[in-house]
Amino acid sequence: MLGNFSYSNPTKLYFGDDSLSFLAEELKKYGNKIMLSYGGGSIKRNGIYDDVVKVLKDCGKEVFEDPGVMSNPTVDKLYEGCKIARENDVDLILAVGGGSTIDYAKAVSVSAWCDSDPWDKYYLKMEEPDNRIIPVGSILTMVGTGSEMNGGSVITNHEQKLKIGHVFGEEVMPKFSILNPKYTFTVPKYQMIAGIFDIMSHIMEQYFSGDDDNTSDYISEALMKSLINSSRVAVKNPEDYEARSNIMWTATWALNTLIACGKATDWEVHMIGQAIGAYTDATHGMTLSAVSLPYYRMIAPYGLHKFKRFATAVWDVCIEGKTDEEIVEEGLSAMESWMKELGLVLNAKELGVTYDMLDGIADATFIFDGGYKVLTKDEIISIIKQSMNY
């Protein structure tokens, strides 16, 4: 492994179908004022809301509700949440939902007591917190982002047509996260498979970089193989506990910074996907699936060795009698077949992308240099066009 790194992750996880029983113990560590953030109401329909509120009430907590967190949390919603948190001087933000809800809770945690505009400070200028931070806890109901065990927080500004993520430090990571695979059983298939591809994309963004023999890459390959196997089971039977638990655990380890240790990382698929999301408000995982194949086919010649390894180690491609280029394409074709099998979106038009958006999307795409090729604006446009013509 090349380079130097430090690794620390302070989030405490409770995993399994008994995990909610540990919430009361965690709540003892915080004051009585709890801000309960959640999405559009699915947790009320499936009973999770009642279970959580019962624990809060039994613990004598005063609850300030903050419902309506959308799938791509907006800056306007952030301001609304900051007002609730600040006016009630809450002691803990408890996010119940998927990655968007947890991302949002982390944004509120650093922004509620910010003296300046948090969008400008944390998302445009990328400054670090120098104000009071409200602790966050999470109860995960939909997997994909890994937000339950990292400091990342993505916020969308529709007026500026920007969707930006800020990875904060340890002080912003959830203090605890409760992961019950059964809570994911009722997630609609479209959202489930979008989350599955978000997991896959997180791993690939860290895997497709570097040329050294890196332990992190071996871990990534195992995570990808597990995800592929479990995704096929879950699509056929969404209530298969073993498959859903494997997917949930893989999502957490895909983006808790472990597999980035000792590596440069790419993240260009995410940058293009987030720019598309800022224009269309499309589901995050689907923006990634729509651009991944054209992106990876474009950069594969620059990282041929790693893409060959991806084909053989992850997709079991036989190398006998084939050129490296043929092996690489067979691996990407195997991934494409898996994506079709799951029902992922491969054409950006299905997400609402139109040709008149392309210039703006390209301009809104942050260009990173951690992968095998640094893209130009024209190449970003070409990738999206290829997706639109899929």
Side-chain angles (χ1 to χ4, degrees):
M1 294 178 71
L2 300 178
N4 304 298
F5 61 87
S6 63
Y7 179 75
S8 174
N9 196 310
T11 302
K12 186 170 186 177
L13 297 179
Y14 297 97
F15 190 97
D17 60 3
D18 248 357
S19 52
L20 189 65
S21 64
F22 295 96
L23 177 59
E25 190 65 31
E26 284 296 327
L27 290 174
K28 293 177 183 177
K29 302 174 184 177
Y30 306 96
N32 282 333
K33 296 182 176 181
I34 309 296
M35 178 169 160
L36 182 63
S37 296
Y38 56 95
S42 62
I43 65 166
K44 290 188 174 181
R45 293 189 296 274
N46 59 29
I48 297 172
Y49 171 88
D50 290 336
D51 292 343
V52 172
V53 169
K54 184 179 186 306
V55 176
L56 290 167
K57 296 296 186 182
D58 288 348
C59 291
K61 301 299 183 181
E62 185 178 5
V63 179
F64 301 91
E65 296 208 9
D66 179 28
V69 181
M70 57 288 292
S71 59
N72 293 304
T74 65
V75 68
D76 291 333
K77 179 61 180 172
L78 171 60
Y79 296 149
E80 179 187 316
C82 287
K83 186 172 185 290
I84 296 170
R86 189 173 55 250
E87 288 184 351
N88 296 288
D89 194 13
V90 301
D91 300 301
L92 174 74
I93 302 172
L94 183 61
V96 184
S100 294
T101 303
I102 304 170
D103 274 21
Y104 163 79
K106 285 183 276 190
V108 173
S109 79
V110 297
S111 301
W113 296 102
C114 180
D115 291 333
S116 56
D117 177 19
W119 170 256
D120 180 68
K121 180 180 177 71
Y122 295 131
Y123 292 92
L124 294 181
K125 295 179 180 175
M126 288 291 170
E127 296 179 10
E128 294 307 312
D130 55 5
N131 50 260
R132 173 183 166 188
I133 299 171
I134 304 169
V136 171
S138 82
I139 299 173
L140 191 63
T141 64
M142 185 171 71
V143 302
T145 68
S147 193
E148 66 276 5
M149 202 180 187
N150 66 43
S153 175
V154 181
I155 297 294
T156 298
N157 188 317
H158 286 305
E159 184 180 347
Q160 297 180 16
K161 288 188 165 43
L162 291 172
K163 183 177 180 181
I164 301 175
H166 187 144
V167 180
F168 295 97
E170 293 179 29
E171 69 278 7
V172 182
M173 292 181 179
K175 302 303 179 187
F176 65 90
S177 289
I178 290 170
L179 281 63
N180 183 344
K182 289 182 178 177
Y183 287 174
T184 68
F185 284 1
T186 58
V187 172
K189 180 184 176 182
Y190 187 87
Q191 299 298 331
M192 179 185 74
I193 62 174
I196 287 169
F197 194 78
D198 194 15
I199 302 165
M200 187 71 170
S201 185
H202 289 158
I203 302 169
M204 292 190 295
E205 297 274 30
Q206 297 165 93
Y207 180 76
F208 286 119
S209 64
D211 296 307
D212 61 316
D213 186 32
N214 190 305
T215 298
S216 295
D217 289 335
Y218 292 94
I219 298 171
S220 293
E221 289 163 357
L223 290 172
M224 286 188 278
K225 288 182 78 70
S226 174
L227 180 66
I228 293 162
N229 179 67
S230 293
S231 69
R232 286 173 164 150
V233 176
V235 165
K236 293 176 181 176
N237 179 10
E239 295 191 8
D240 186 295
Y241 183 87
E242 186 175 71
R244 298 307 288 266
S245 64
N246 285 337
I247 293 168
M248 178 176 265
W249 195 229
T250 300
T252 301
W253 287 94
L255 201 61
N256 65 3
T257 73
L258 176 74
I259 61 172
C261 288
K263 291 183 62 67
T265 51
D266 188 346
W267 297 111
E268 205 56 51
V269 167
H270 268 70
M271 295 305 99
I272 300 171
Q274 286 179 185
I276 289 173
Y279 272 75
T280 65
D281 210 32
T283 299
H284 174 63
M286 295 305 190
T287 68
L288 306 178
S289 65
V291 300
S292 284
L293 289 167
Y295 174 73
Y296 286 123
R297 285 187 167 116
M298 177 179 286
I299 72 163
Y302 302 90
L304 202 64
H305 170 75
K306 182 58 73 64
F307 278 89
K308 179 181 176 182
R309 176 173 165 175
F310 176 68
T312 57
V314 177
W315 298 105
D316 299 320
V317 171
C318 176
I319 65 172
E320 194 171 337
K322 300 167 187 170
T323 66
D324 286 353
E325 289 78 8
E326 288 171 337
I327 294 166
V328 166
E329 177 52 36
E330 193 171 334
L332 291 173
S333 293
M335 183 171 82
E336 181 176 344
S337 296
W338 169 70
M339 292 168 73
K340 289 177 178 177
E341 180 184 341
L342 264 57
L344 290 157
V345 173
L346 301 181
N347 189 318
K349 286 181 181 178
E350 293 181 32
L351 305 176
V353 176
T354 57
Y355 285 102
D356 62 332
M357 294 179 182
L358 294 183
D359 207 57
I361 291 172
D363 284 334
T365 299
F366 291 87
I367 297 175
F368 290 160
D369 61 2
Y372 290 119
K373 187 180 192 316
V374 178
L375 296 184
T376 65
K377 178 181 176 180
D378 286 344
E379 286 171 332
I380 293 169
I381 292 173
S382 174
I383 287 166
I384 303 170
K385 280 184 176 177
Q386 288 177 55
S387 172
M388 294 173 75
N389 292 325
Y390 188 85

